[in-house]
Amino acid sequence: MSDFILSCCSTADLSKEHFERRGIHYVCFHYLLNGVEYLDDLGQSMSFPDFYQAMADGASTSTSQVSISEYLDLWTPFLEAGKDVLHLTLSTGISGTYNSAESAAAIARERFPERTIYVVDSLGASSGYGLLMETLADLRDAGMGLEELRDWAEENKLRLHHWFFSTDLTFFVRGGRISKAAGVFGGLLNICPLMNMDDLGRLIPREKIRTKKKVIRAIVDKMEAHAENGLDYSGKCYISMSACREDAEEVARLVEERFPKLDGKVLINDIGTTIGSHTGPGTVALFFWGDKRTR
């Protein structure tokens, strides 16, 4: 058994069972739905179908990050038990939670001077962040130590590709990510924006593609262009989606067809309530290891 723990935020968008099976600990973000606060607890207090149906019906949403005290509550029992901590946060390109985690780590280091607490900015989100955590768990289980694992995360996190498309621009308009005029125009022309995360962990629009069928093929083309070893890619591939499982399953089918050496089947997860509060329903995201992300 290792003498440290791996932890992250609920925004890594894996299931509760997946986190528990891999021995990855997590702390929950918060969200408001029509003014009522909930924990982003991986669909435990509100199912993902109910959440996205509420959004589709016009519910207002907002999110709040993890507090310093919540980080301390997560880590303290392990520190008291003599364990060190490696924690990865949601990307600083879309959240300020890294600063809260670092503040909590500074307090924890004073309380437990004999323990080591590392905080790493994942520069990722949703199940891409989750795939990074999964890989770190693999390396931990293979015997990699705390410092080496921290260094590996820092050196390799930008090789984790995040590609997204959306078939519903409503919530991108509502959140100010695109203008109302662009949203109306895009809806009339059936435009599905293709986006990715850059080297600063920001979500960047890359292409405007007409029709869902074309954007589904385009996102798999991006994997072919950027995946490690191209069509011989032999790593894991994750997808996350918000209330559009058929679209996600079609992306998974094309990936499995085009990349026969994949490490297992493509894993499809739900986009959680924090990320989903900003994307709304109709978003599919594809994650894989590849070349280094750039601006």
Side-chain angles (χ1 to χ4, degrees):
M1 183 178 293
S2 61
D3 57 356
F4 63 91
I5 66 148
L6 285 175
S7 64
C8 63
C9 309
S10 58
T11 46
D13 287 352
L14 301 180
S15 70
K16 180 176 183 288
E17 295 75 20
H18 193 147
F19 280 129
E20 290 174 351
R21 184 172 68 252
R22 294 314 314 272
I24 300 169
H25 305 275
Y26 61 90
V27 63
C28 297
F29 268 61
H30 304 255
Y31 68 97
L32 290 176
L33 184 68
N34 284 335
V36 179
E37 183 172 351
Y38 298 87
L39 279 178
D40 175 12
D41 57 2
L42 313 178
Q44 302 301 300
S45 58
M46 178 178 294
S47 72
F48 296 121
D50 286 349
F51 172 76
Y52 286 113
Q53 186 60 55
M55 291 191 76
D57 291 342
S60 63
T61 59
S62 61
T63 60
S64 59
Q65 63 192 37
V66 182
S67 69
I68 293 172
S69 63
E70 287 170 317
Y71 281 117
L72 290 170
D73 288 344
L74 172 67
W75 298 333
T76 295
F78 299 106
L79 297 169
E80 288 177 339
K83 298 276 189 176
D84 297 325
V85 173
L86 174 58
H87 182 87
L88 275 75
T89 70
L90 180 64
S91 172
T92 51
I94 58 175
S95 171
T97 196
Y98 174 84
N99 294 327
S100 297
E102 271 290 10
S103 295
I107 295 170
R109 292 179 190 117
E110 290 186 0
R111 293 180 182 175
F112 302 93
E114 72 284 5
R115 300 268 57 86
T116 299
I117 304 104
Y118 291 131
V119 177
V120 173
D121 175 8
S122 74
L123 293 178
S126 195
S127 296
Y129 176 15
L131 180 51
L132 178 55
M133 297 306 302
E134 171 85 357
T135 305
L136 293 177
D138 287 340
L139 295 170
R140 174 204 61 198
D141 293 350
M144 189 175 285
L146 176 66
E147 291 190 7
E148 189 179 4
L149 203 60
R150 185 273 312 268
D151 293 344
W152 192 95
E154 292 284 15
E155 292 166 5
N156 290 277
K157 61 190 179 184
L158 286 179
R159 294 197 304 107
L160 203 296
H161 276 255
H162 298 57
W163 288 91
F164 302 75
F165 70 78
S166 181
T167 58
D168 184 346
L169 303 182
T170 303
F171 297 92
F172 289 87
V173 172
R174 186 178 295 179
R177 288 165 182 78
I178 62 175
S179 69
K180 185 175 291 186
V184 171
F185 184 69
L188 290 172
L189 294 180
N190 200 18
I191 289 175
C192 304
L194 182 60
M195 303 161 276
N196 82 335
M197 295 195 89
D198 68 1
D199 61 324
L200 298 179
R202 304 171 300 184
L203 188 59
I204 306 295
R206 298 299 186 185
E207 298 179 28
K208 298 176 182 177
I209 298 174
R210 292 189 65 179
T211 78
K212 179 167 65 177
K213 184 176 181 179
K214 288 182 180 179
V215 80
I216 285 174
R217 289 204 163 270
I219 200 171
V220 181
D221 290 343
K222 292 299 184 184
M223 182 170 175
E224 181 175 338
H226 293 283
E228 187 175 44
N229 299 320
L231 293 176
D232 289 328
Y233 178 68
S234 58
K236 294 178 182 179
C237 178
Y238 284 3
I239 287 173
S240 59
M241 61 86 204
S242 54
C244 52
R245 180 161 288 273
E246 288 185 3
D247 297 341
E249 288 176 345
E250 179 60 12
V251 173
R253 185 189 69 79
L254 290 175
V255 167
E256 290 171 359
E257 180 181 274
R258 202 178 299 188
F259 299 88
K261 297 182 180 179
L262 280 178
D263 181 2
K265 302 282 286 184
V266 175
L267 179 66
I268 300 176
N269 298 295
D270 289 284
I271 293 176
T273 49
T274 297
I275 305 296
S277 291
H278 302 284
T279 68
T283 295
V284 174
L286 177 65
F287 310 102
F288 55 90
W289 291 99
D291 54 9
K292 194 170 184 179
R293 282 151 43 194
T294 62
R295 193 67 49 90

